[in-house]
Every structure is written in structure tokens, then in C-alpha cells.
Amino acid sequence: MKIHKYDTVIVGAGGAGMRAAIESTKRSRTAVLTKLYPTRSHTGAAQGGMAAALANVEEDNWEWHTFDTIKGGDYLVDQDAAEILAKEAIDAVLDLEKMGLPFGRTPAGEIDQRRFGGHSRNHGEAPVRRACYSGDRTGHMILQTLYQNCIKEGVEFFNEFYVLDQLIVEEDGVKKSAGVVAYELATGEIHVFQAKSVIYASGGTGKFFKVTSNAHTLTGDGQAACYRRGLPLEDMEFFQFHPTGIWRMGILLTEGARGEGGILRNKDGERFMEKYAPVMKDLASRDVVSRSIYTEIREGRGCGPEGDHVYLDLTHLPPEQLDAKLPDITEFARTYLGIEPYTDPIPIQPTAHYAMGGIPTNVEGEVLSDNTTVVPGLYAAGEVACVSVHGANRLGTNSLLDINVFGKRAGIAAAEYAHTADYVELPENPAAQVQAQVENLLSATGTERVSVIRKELQETMDANVMVFRTEQTIKTAVEKIAELRERYKNVSVQDKGKRFNTDLLEAIELGNLLDLAEVMAVSALARKESRGGHYREDYPNRDDVNFMRHTMAYREVADGGKDSIRLDYKPVVQTRYQPMERKY
Amino acid sequence: MATPTMDKLAALEADNGSHLITVTFRIRRFNPEISEEATWEDFQLEIDPKERVLDGLHKIKWEMDGSLTFRRSCAHGICGSDAMRINGKNRLACKTLIKDINPSKPITIEAIKGLTVQKDLVVDMEPFFQAYRDVMPFLITKGNEPTRERLQSPEDRERFDDTTKCILCAACTSSCPVFWNDGQYFGPAAIVNAHRFIFDSRDEAGEQRLEILNDKDGVWRCRTTFNCTDACPRGIEVTKAIQEVKRALITRRF
Ligand SMILES: Cc1cc2nc3c(=O)[nH]c(=O)nc-3n(C[C@H](O)[C@H](O)[C@H](O)COP(=O)(O)OP(=O)(O)OC[C@H]3O[C@@H](n4cnc5c(N)ncnc54)[C@H](O)[C@@H]3O)c2cc1C
Ligand code: SF4
Ligand code: FES
């Protein structure tokens, strides 16, 4: 075991982690621990754009953006946070441009903007061009640009280090962060990083679904590390299902495709979104479009022999426009489906995409241990966190924005805190839990296989807690997850070595997914209403009287060691916008 | 409406995934914890030919031999984790479909060449990223920062578009015979990323980057074998980018 000491440790090198690192490295001695090489992070997969009311191509302002974000989130958004997001968006985009990001340009040489779902002019009048983009590779450009600037700033990376435990110490009844414990992939060695500040920027948790746009590595490690140490997780029942994933595979086809004029059609060729969202049509918010697609499928208007998908039709758009604005996604259709988007519609289905919930933070990125108390020295930003700017449903292009705005904020706040604070003393045997976990898995001889349990988990999640949920389906999922968590105790790995043991790490990642899936399902069961991405067929309406509040899920451990989930609730911050019925 | 591709769509949709075929993956295994020798190992698997080579590797890892080791993340050609030599050519395992690489014969899979193999298909990427860092891959400007964005015409933006697509997968560099013989050579990927800035109208350090590439291990080592262009999974015209850098070195115009 090795012990390292840094002012600031950042967990994750995606957009949020690297944006934070650029700030904190200037101000404090910083280490970035990342399980992937930074440029492999899933921010690179983001396609369509990053929202900011630059008003480069038509009238726009941050107040409209704030409103759209709140409405898009079905009023579960904390309105003070949304206002910061929309206001600071403009500088966030300009910062990236100055760092070198090659945005698409208008004829006048300014940053070009395109339409995206849920973003509107003057509180819902008509779609507005607010998304700054670079082809359909905006995330790739953000990730590359941030990595380039990390090199420029001399950011210190520990690549292929997996953070597996968060060290929390109670001093005078206050929970404080003392550092993290990480596992080095290349050697199997365990490292303790003592730090005054720790920032989680470890991304999402989509791999508990089968059909998903998320990478294999998005397994919620950061959320799980904090949750196991008694910190709450907020709004985990809210997961976004993006309308247009490649049929069966889940690979994302950006909403920018509809922003450029693409149309969703059922088997009769009908533009069905006109029925469900007369104004915004194909550009209504994602939860609305995903439900509409499944309604078409359920009512027998799905495409193909099994009627299990619909079409994204781009055939009326000029090939030059597709080549210029959507080169990657058209190539995905060619590579993975063997069809030509110039002439054929693309078979699509909703795909599990984005976790609105996560580690609760305030607007400075400070992590909360209950509704109001901050954990000194602990921060989170990006998809791992819940500020909450996305509420019950995130608008497209608001996450690339979120990682930049709150990544920067967390980086500054963490570094500044490190200047004023002392190290919290490490607990005795800081690596004990990780050591035990690793040794147990390596010596286990049980008969359960990681891949089998993971597959069953993904199948139950897809079947029971996806776009449509009922008490019965969620209960089925809860029971199945409990069974799988039991069986997980009997899991063994074949690779017993120390070097690059990805077999072992997949087992650990599965443990994280199981814990988080349970939190999601239990939170969903208790929310007896429909709001944003959480749709209960048995409670089809939003219920502001009982559920205009954030879920806070805590892990409780009984004396015998058996764990359970305790749910609590946190008020939503409302400033100027009164909840209204959501229409597009 | 029965165009040839519409038939393709109909065929695609009618396929219920039951056309499994049996293929052999012949994989170059190496684990110094067990042996200093690398060996070939055959695995037979049932797979839908429309699946990716990466899906096949997962099947092996998840159902047959958990110790098989490779990097991967996004599974759709965006993150650059899984460049490997498949049937003697560098490709991304997640972007190569079984049906496209003659599955009737054993499919050979080995680590990319020129970088030290650490275990099975995993190589040491550090020298590759070092060459990348050496070309100063970040925008360098002088003078005061403007308050708004720097302006750039769509034509100027287009000038370096091709080289912005790089995902640093190393498929090009590790297919280059010059790099195999001498790891000191910067390699195509680093030159591609230098190109991305040299030809960006906003950048003001082109001369400095050209000097770096004028070095004995720089751009003149390229012998225009086009291996890199063939290998690039992003379709970047790598050789052309290198030629443009060479030309800029001669004319000092870019
Ligand atoms: C296909 C796709 C397209 C998208 N398109 C858009 C879009 O157009 N606009 C938009 O706004 N949003 C989009 N999103 C959403 C957005 O891209 C993501 O929410 C955002 O990029 C997440 O960034 P992040 O920095 O939080 O996490 P990530 O980029 O996922 O980075 C996570 C980092 O954490 C590290 N990590 C994870 N676990 C550990 C651990 N245990 N130890 C150490 N390190 C760890 C990883 O190595 C990685 O570096 C898209 C998402 C997807 C999947
Ligand atoms: S130029 Fe192409 S092959 Fe080379 S590293 Fe970049 S993406 Fe990979
Ligand atoms: S797994 Fe990301 S490029 Fe292949």
C-alpha cells in the first residue's frame, strides 16, 4: 500500500473532472485519478451541442434558458441553480472557445448555434437556436480541448487508477472527507490518497440498463463509494431515456438530427409527434418523445415484423447537410446497421441515457450529508452529481454545459478550501475495506458469474423501470435486484493475477451497479406520481402537493450487518417560476 | 419504393438475430505473471456475424476465459480504447463487424505493434501520449484575450477539420514501419495533432511546432507508405496531413 498526499484530488477525467482540474491545478497541488485514460471518457461520445444563450443567430437570453431548463425538468429543478447554469453558460462557451475548441461558425465567423429539444424562444413560443456545436462531435471536441489545456497547465494524472472507497471521518459529530482509496490497474497495488479536498467527477451509471447509450465503464463508482459511506443519493429514480438510440444496440443518434430537420415516423409513415406535441413536435422534451414512441409501439404502429421500433427519417435532408452537420451519426447507421441514411429511414428506439440523480451538492459543488449539512472537503460535479439543475428530466445540451459550469465551480471551491483547511487525519487502516473487497473476490470460489448477474440485472431494469413503470413492475425489479445482490455474494473471478485484472474490476463495478439499481428502484416505488423521466402508469399525473420534493436515499446498516434503504425528502428551491402544466 | 437499400432495411428488420455462425478467434496471449512467452490461443464461439469483434472478445471474457485482457469503453468507435491488429490490420474492435473480416477462417487478434505489450491486447500507451504532448497540442495565442469569441470564418474552420477528428487510438502510429524500427519517431498521430493547430487560423505558434517537427525524429522520417491512412478508424487523411506539414516546413506558409 502506498500513501500520497495532495491538496486536491479529483476522481474522474471526463469533462467535469478536467474542467475542475484546470482550475484547481492553478491554485493547489492537484492529482486527477481516473480509471480511463482521460481522452477515453464518455464525454467524448456527446454529439449534439452545448447550450448557451449567446444570441449569435437569433434573439435569445439566459432568462429564457433558465425557464426552459426548469420547465424541462418538470419543476423539480432547483431554480437558483438553474439560473446560475443559464447565466454562466455564456462564459462557459467562451472559455472553451478561448481554450481552442473548434466550434462550428456562422458566415460572420461567430459561434454557430442550432435547435435542440425543449429550448425555446420566449417561454415556449417556438424552438430557438441555442446549442453551440461542432458537427455532431461536440463532446469529442470538449474532451480533447480540455485534455489539451490540462497538458498546458501541467495537470498531474494517475491514469487507470480506480477509486473504490471514500474515506469519511467524524470529527465532533461532523462528517469530513479525509481522502480516497484507489486500485492501480497495471499493478494491482492499493493507493491511499490523503487530500484536503476531493472532487467526484466520475460520471454516470447507465450500465445497469441493457439498451443504453452509455459506455461499458459507466458503472456509478463514485455514487456507490459515497453511498456506502452513509452519504445520501438524490433523485435516483429520475433517469433519462433518450428517444433515438439505434434499434437494439442503444448507440445514440443525437437530437441534433431532429434539430437539423429529422422527423420521427411510425410504420404508416405518419409524423406522429404532431399528435403529442403540436408546437415543438419532434423537438419536445425527451421524456415526452420517448413516451410517445412507446405509445406508438404499444398501439401497434411500430415498424418491422416485431413492431418494436420507429424510424428517424433524414431522407428529405440534403446529403451535403448530413455530411456537414451529422457526419458521425450517419456513419454509425452505415457501420452498425448497414443502411444508407441518405435514402433509408433509421430504425430507432429509446435508449437509457442520463442519470438526473446523484450525489447531492449545493451550487458550489459541496456535497451534502443531509438536506442542508455540507461535508467539508467533499465536492462533486458532472453527471455523478445532483445540483439539481436537471430536475426530473434534463434538456439536451444542458449536460455538457453542467460539466463546464459546475466543474469549474467545484475546481475553484475545492482548491480554495484546501488553502484554508488542514488535512483530516486518516482513519486507522484506511485501505482495509478495499483490501478486503479485493482479497475476497480473488479468493472466492463461488459459482456465480459476473456476466450472468449483470445480464439479469440489465434485463430486469429494461423490462421494469424504463420508460413506463407501475407499482407492480417496480416491485418485480426490487425483488429481482435483492435476489441478484444475494447471488453476488457468491460471485468469483477467474483471473487471480495482479496485473491488469479487468476481470476483478468488472466484478467490483457490478457490485456498484447492483447497489445503485436498488436505490433507483426503491426511490421510484415511493414516488407515486409521474414527473419528467419518471412515469408511473398507475399515477399518470404530476402531484405537486405530495411530491414536489427531492428524494434523498440513505443506506442504513442494522446491527447484524444487513443493509436497507431509508428514504427522506428535500424541498425544491423555487424562486420565480410557479409550477405549470407542461405542454410542448 | 423497393430500392436496393430499402431491401437492406427490410432484411435488417426481419432478422431476429438467430443466424449464429461459429468462428474461431486466434488471440495472441501474453501474461508475464505466468510466462515470458507469448502464445496463440484459439477460441471457438457462436456469434451473429453482424456483431462486432469487441462483442466476440466480450463473449470470450464473460463466458470462457475471464483472464483475457483488453481495453474498451464506448463500444462505438469514439473513445479510442480498443485499437488492435485484427487479421494483420490495425482496427478498432468495436468498429469491425465479424461479417466484414472473412469469418470462415480463424480471425487473428493481437496487440498493436511498436508499443510494449503489458498483457494480452493491452500495450503501454505512455510513449504514444508523450509524443503527442511533445508537439504542444494546445492553442497558443498572443496579446489580449477578446471579450467575446475569436472570429473564424467557416472556410478557416474547415481548413483543419479533418485532423480535429483524432481520438488518439494509436492505430496509425502503430501501423507505421518507421515507428516499428525506431520508437523515437514522433509518429503519425502526433503530426496529425500538430497539424490540427498549425492550420488553425487562431493559433500563433505554428513556427514553434514546425521546428519541433523539423527535428531528426520529426516529419522527414515519414516515407509515405499510407499505412496510417488505411488504419485510421476516423477516416482522417493522415498521410495528406503529414504532407501538408512537410510543405509548410518548406514554404513556411500555413
Ligand atoms: C452518447 C451520448 C451523447 C451525449 N450528447 C450530449 C450532448 O450533445 N449535449 C449534452 O449536453 N450532453 C450530452 N450527453 C451527456 C453528457 O455527455 C454527459 O452527461 C457528460 O459528458 C458527463 O461528463 P462527466 O465528466 O460527468 O463524466 P464522464 O465524461 O463520463 O467521465 C467520467 C470520468 O470518471 C472516471 N471514473 C469513473 N469511475 C471512476 C473510478 N472508480 N475511479 C476513477 N475514475 C473514475 C472515468 O475514467 C472518466 O474519466 C451525451 C451522453 C451520451 C452518452
Ligand atoms: S489519426 Fe486516426 S488512427 Fe491515428 S490516432 Fe488519430 S484517430 Fe487513431
Ligand atoms: S471501445 Fe471506444 S473506440 Fe472502441
Side-chain angles (χ1 to χ4, degrees):
Chain A
M1 185 189 79
K2 267 200 193 120
I3 297 195
H4 311 251
K5 242 177 154 169
Y6 282 86
D7 291 333
T8 307
V9 161
I10 300 176
V11 183
M18 292 204 283
R19 190 66 191 83
I22 288 170
E23 299 302 330
S24 80
T25 297
K26 288 179 190 153
R27 297 172 172 85
S28 68
R29 201 168 156 260
T30 300
V32 180
L33 317 185
T34 171
K35 76 175 178 183
L36 303 172
Y37 272 85
T39 56
R40 314 297 183 220
S41 305
H42 212 52
T43 291
Q47 301 167 355
M50 168 169 169
L54 297 183
N56 277 1
V57 289
E58 58 183 317
E59 189 188 355
D60 197 7
N61 63 59
W62 62 259
E63 193 271 321
W64 295 350
H65 185 186
T66 310
F67 170 78
D68 290 337
T69 301
I70 293 165
K71 175 183 170 189
D74 224 347
Y75 295 91
L76 196 72
V77 170
D78 286 329
Q79 298 190 2
D80 55 341
E83 189 170 317
I84 289 173
L85 182 81
K87 254 192 212 166
E88 295 184 9
I90 295 161
D91 275 339
V93 165
L94 296 178
D95 279 355
L96 286 171
E97 197 284 327
K98 287 169 195 167
M99 286 186 206
L101 197 136
F103 280 109
R105 300 286 171 159
T106 66
E110 293 177 332
I111 295 171
D112 197 13
Q113 301 187 273
R114 62 158 56 128
R115 297 198 175 107
F116 239 81
H119 290 278
S120 74
R121 171 159 55 85
N122 194 17
H123 314 97
E125 265 177 28
V128 75
R129 291 170 65 179
R130 185 177 290 147
C132 309
Y133 66 91
S134 184
D136 55 358
R137 310 187 176 114
T138 316
H140 166 75
M141 300 301 184
I142 290 179
L143 192 70
Q144 297 291 327
T145 301
L146 291 175
Y147 183 55
Q148 291 156 2
N149 280 272
C150 283
I151 292 174
K152 188 175 175 187
E153 296 294 338
V155 171
E156 191 176 347
F157 288 103
F158 289 80
N159 295 326
E160 302 192 317
F161 275 58
Y162 286 63
V163 170
L164 301 182
D165 194 15
Q166 165 62 37
L167 299 173
I168 297 276
V169 174
E170 263 194 55
E171 280 180 1
D172 314 322
V174 182
K175 285 194 168 98
K176 291 187 174 175
S177 166
V180 299
V181 185
Y183 176 97
E184 183 182 1
L185 182 66
T187 60
E189 189 163 7
I190 292 171
H191 299 253
V192 173
F193 285 81
Q194 188 177 18
K196 295 176 183 171
S197 296
V198 171
I199 307 175
Y200 278 89
S202 49
T205 176
K207 260 299 155 183
F208 48 39
F209 289 102
K210 186 170 83 185
V211 176
T212 174
S213 65
N214 281 200
H216 286 287
T217 45
L218 287 175
T219 51
D221 304 355
Q223 295 90 322
C226 291
Y227 172 68
R228 283 202 203 105
R229 290 296 184 175
L231 298 177
L233 294 177
E234 180 174 348
D235 288 343
M236 290 293 283
E237 64 272 38
F238 294 102
F239 206 91
Q240 178 166 84
F241 305 97
H242 190 294
T244 54
I246 290 184
W247 176 48
R248 289 182 180 159
M249 296 182 91
I251 297 173
L252 194 80
L253 302 177
T254 175
E255 194 168 282
R258 282 169 285 138
E260 293 292 334
I263 292 171
L264 295 171
R265 298 191 189 279
N266 63 19
K267 74 164 192 219
D268 306 318
E270 183 195 2
R271 182 178 194 180
F272 57 84
M273 279 313 299
E274 286 178 337
K275 291 185 296 199
Y276 302 96
V279 179
M280 297 292 279
K281 301 193 176 90
D282 298 276
L283 288 175
S285 75
R286 289 178 178 173
D287 57 319
V288 173
V289 181
S290 287
R291 277 196 295 282
S292 306
I293 291 172
Y294 271 125
T295 306
E296 291 296 304
I297 289 173
R298 284 172 157 198
E299 291 177 359
R301 293 185 294 279
C303 306
E306 311 201 2
D308 60 352
H309 56 278
V310 299
Y311 291 139
L312 172 63
D313 183 2
L314 306 175
T315 57
H316 54 292
L317 302 176
E320 312 79 67
Q321 185 185 352
L322 297 182
D323 293 349
K325 300 291 179 65
L326 303 167
D328 277 0
I329 63 145
T330 44
E331 190 186 306
F332 295 156
R334 292 182 194 113
T335 306
Y336 295 110
L337 297 172
I339 64 166
E340 178 47 67
Y342 295 160
T343 50
D344 290 338
I346 308 169
I348 58 98
Q349 71 179 92
T351 182
H353 186 55
Y354 182 85
M356 269 77 74
I359 302 172
T361 73
N362 61 21
V363 295
E364 306 307 332
E366 293 172 300
V367 171
L368 303 174
S369 61
D370 57 32
N371 285 2
T372 51
T373 314
V374 160
V375 183
L378 195 58
Y379 299 79
E383 195 168 334
V384 70
C386 180
V387 182
S388 148
V389 286
H390 308 304
N393 171 62
R394 170 176 73 82
L395 286 191
T397 67
N398 265 356
S399 174
L400 290 178
L401 176 57
D402 173 9
I403 62 180
N404 278 286
V405 167
F406 290 99
K408 178 176 180 180
R409 282 178 157 252
I412 295 173
E416 284 179 353
Y417 176 79
H419 281 299
T420 60
D422 284 329
Y423 284 101
V424 173
E425 211 172 311
L426 289 174
E428 225 174 296
N429 295 327
Q433 178 165 313
V434 173
Q435 256 153 359
Q437 184 183 20
V438 168
E439 276 159 27
N440 287 344
L441 277 168
L442 288 180
S443 60
T445 53
T447 51
E448 291 287 355
R449 292 194 84 126
V450 169
S451 59
V452 174
I453 295 183
R454 186 174 47 214
K455 186 156 175 270
E456 289 184 32
L457 172 67
Q458 291 170 341
E459 280 168 0
T460 196
M461 296 295 279
D462 273 25
N464 296 310
V465 288
M466 232 181 156
V467 173
F468 290 111
R469 303 168 173 179
T470 67
E471 168 135 354
Q472 201 201 335
T473 64
I474 303 172
K475 276 190 170 152
T476 308
V478 171
E479 280 161 28
K480 182 72 190 181
I481 296 164
E483 174 210 311
L484 294 174
R485 289 186 75 217
E486 246 343 274
R487 282 168 51 192
Y488 178 74
K489 294 177 183 157
N490 263 323
V491 99
S492 63
V493 296
Q494 285 175 297
D495 192 339
K496 309 288 186 192
K498 284 195 154 297
R499 218 179 150 83
F500 289 93
N501 191 339
T502 51
D503 201 20
L504 169 72
L505 284 151
E506 281 193 37
I508 292 174
E509 290 171 332
L510 174 63
N512 296 339
L513 289 177
L514 284 167
D515 286 1
L516 298 175
E518 184 177 43
V519 176
M520 161 178 267
V522 168
S523 304
L525 190 60
R527 187 172 283 275
K528 297 186 165 132
E529 65 156 353
S530 290
R531 186 187 293 272
H534 170 73
Y535 190 81
R536 292 277 303 252
E537 288 185 274
D538 41 356
Y539 300 95
N541 298 316
R542 198 173 80 195
D543 174 359
D544 287 342
V545 176
N546 295 303
F547 289 104
M548 176 60 88
R549 53 188 193 171
H550 299 290
T551 307
M552 299 283 275
Y554 296 81
R555 177 170 181 261
E556 306 257 283
V557 186
D559 285 343
K562 197 174 156 38
D563 64 354
S564 61
I565 298 170
R566 175 173 65 85
L567 295 184
D568 195 358
Y569 293 90
K570 187 174 90 163
V572 175
V573 180
Q574 288 183 18
T575 54
R576 14 176 167 168
Y577 302 97
Q578 287 308 309
M580 294 188 301
E581 193 196 341
R582 214 163 49 123
K583 284 202 191 114
Y584 283 101
Chain B
M1 262 224 308
T3 62
T5 52
M6 277 309 264
D7 293 343
K8 248 187 182 171
L9 178 62
L12 171 82
E13 292 181 316
D15 179 11
N16 55 13
S18 60
H19 313 295
L20 298 187
I21 57 165
T22 305
V23 296
T24 303
F25 273 29
R26 181 163 293 163
I27 303 177
R28 187 83 171 156
R29 303 292 306 266
F30 173 66
N31 182 358
E33 280 186 292
I34 294 170
S35 159
E36 286 303 321
E37 293 281 300
T39 52
W40 290 98
E41 185 172 358
D42 282 5
F43 295 92
Q44 295 226 318
L45 49 150
E46 302 251 289
I47 193 161
D48 181 332
K50 288 195 305 306
E51 289 195 81
R52 299 159 272 207
V53 169
L54 180 64
D55 297 315
L57 292 172
H58 273 146
K59 255 188 190 323
I60 295 170
K61 183 170 185 70
W62 293 344
E63 294 164 22
M64 301 176 209
D65 182 352
S67 72
L68 179 67
T69 304
F70 48 93
R71 293 190 176 105
R72 52 83 177 117
S73 183
C74 72
H76 66 287
I78 290 299
C79 75
S81 295
D82 59 342
M84 46 189 82
R85 243 169 114 76
I86 301 171
N87 284 350
K89 273 190 69 180
N90 281 1
R91 316 170 195 247
L92 297 178
C94 66
K95 236 186 149 175
T96 308
L97 304 193
I98 303 283
K99 68 178 171 57
D100 297 333
I101 48 167
N102 187 13
S104 58
K105 288 222 206 96
I107 296 169
T108 62
I109 302 175
E110 57 196 306
I112 47 177
K113 281 171 73 169
L115 294 160
T116 311
V117 182
Q118 291 174 315
K119 183 176 172 183
D120 294 345
L121 305 174
V122 172
V123 299
D124 179 8
M125 293 294 288
E126 207 29 56
F128 174 81
F129 277 104
Q130 187 56 49
Y132 170 73
R133 288 193 291 266
D134 285 345
V135 300
M136 304 197 299
F138 37 81
L139 189 76
I140 299 176
T141 56
K142 301 189 186 100
N144 291 336
E145 289 223 318
T147 43
R148 289 288 291 197
E149 67 262 46
R150 290 192 173 77
L151 299 181
Q152 182 167 57
S153 70
E155 297 71 43
D156 284 345
R157 166 68 182 77
E158 186 56 29
R159 181 70 191 84
F160 63 104
D161 188 61
D162 201 36
T163 45
T164 63
K165 296 189 298 199
C166 176
I167 54 175
L168 297 169
C169 69
C172 55
T173 298
S174 64
S175 71
C176 173
V178 180
F179 182 77
W180 295 340
N181 287 335
D182 178 3
Q184 293 302 311
Y185 171 45
F186 276 100
I191 302 172
V192 160
N193 283 282
H195 178 285
R196 179 250 169 273
F197 288 100
I198 293 169
F199 292 93
D200 184 335
S201 58
R202 299 168 299 173
D203 187 77
E204 296 177 75
E207 288 285 346
Q208 259 170 287
R209 290 195 185 85
L210 285 175
E211 272 324 306
I212 295 172
L213 292 176
N214 204 10
D215 183 87
K216 67 177 184 353
D217 298 319
V219 71
W220 304 112
R221 304 285 303 275
C222 166
R223 284 194 260 110
T224 333
T225 54
F226 282 94
N227 282 19
C228 50
T229 303
D230 290 343
C232 180
R234 299 288 285 159
I236 298 171
E237 294 182 89
V238 181
T239 314
K240 184 172 163 218
I242 298 174
Q243 292 302 92
E244 288 179 351
V245 171
K246 285 183 183 168
R247 206 171 315 128
L249 261 169
I250 296 168
T251 62
R252 294 289 162 164
R253 284 177 54 182
F254 45 86

